[in-house]
Amino acid sequence: KLPGQTFAQHSDAVHDRHISMCGYAPAVAALFACRDLGADQAEVVDYTDSGMVTGDDSEVVSYAGVRIFKGRA
């Protein structure tokens, strides 16, 4: 569920939760667009991090593939 109704609330949530994420603004814009188009569900399709390739887990960049969709009524 989206933590707020406005873009500013989402920006505040990113800051308040200490989320370090490149491109959070486009991600939030996509979530708003999906919600406005009727999406009501999300599924993580894949999640990995750069340590899986390098073998060094001390500092990683994570990647997630998420499917956002409208479920069956």
Side-chain angles (χ1 to χ4, degrees):
K1 182 172 171 135
L2 295 174
Q5 296 302 313
T6 69
F7 188 84
Q9 288 172 319
H10 290 283
S11 295
D12 290 345
V14 168
H15 180 266
D16 294 346
R17 295 175 184 182
H18 306 286
I19 296 170
S20 174
M21 176 181 167
C22 297
Y24 79 86
V28 170
L31 290 173
F32 271 100
C34 290
R35 181 184 63 185
D36 290 348
L37 291 169
D40 57 4
Q41 296 184 37
E43 172 189 13
V44 176
V45 178
D46 196 12
Y47 179 86
T48 191
D49 63 62
S50 56
M52 297 291 292
V53 175
T54 66
D56 180 4
D57 289 331
S58 63
E59 292 186 286
V60 297
V61 175
S62 297
Y63 305 90
V66 180
R67 181 174 78 107
I68 304 168
F69 58 99
K70 180 173 178 61
R72 296 182 186 202

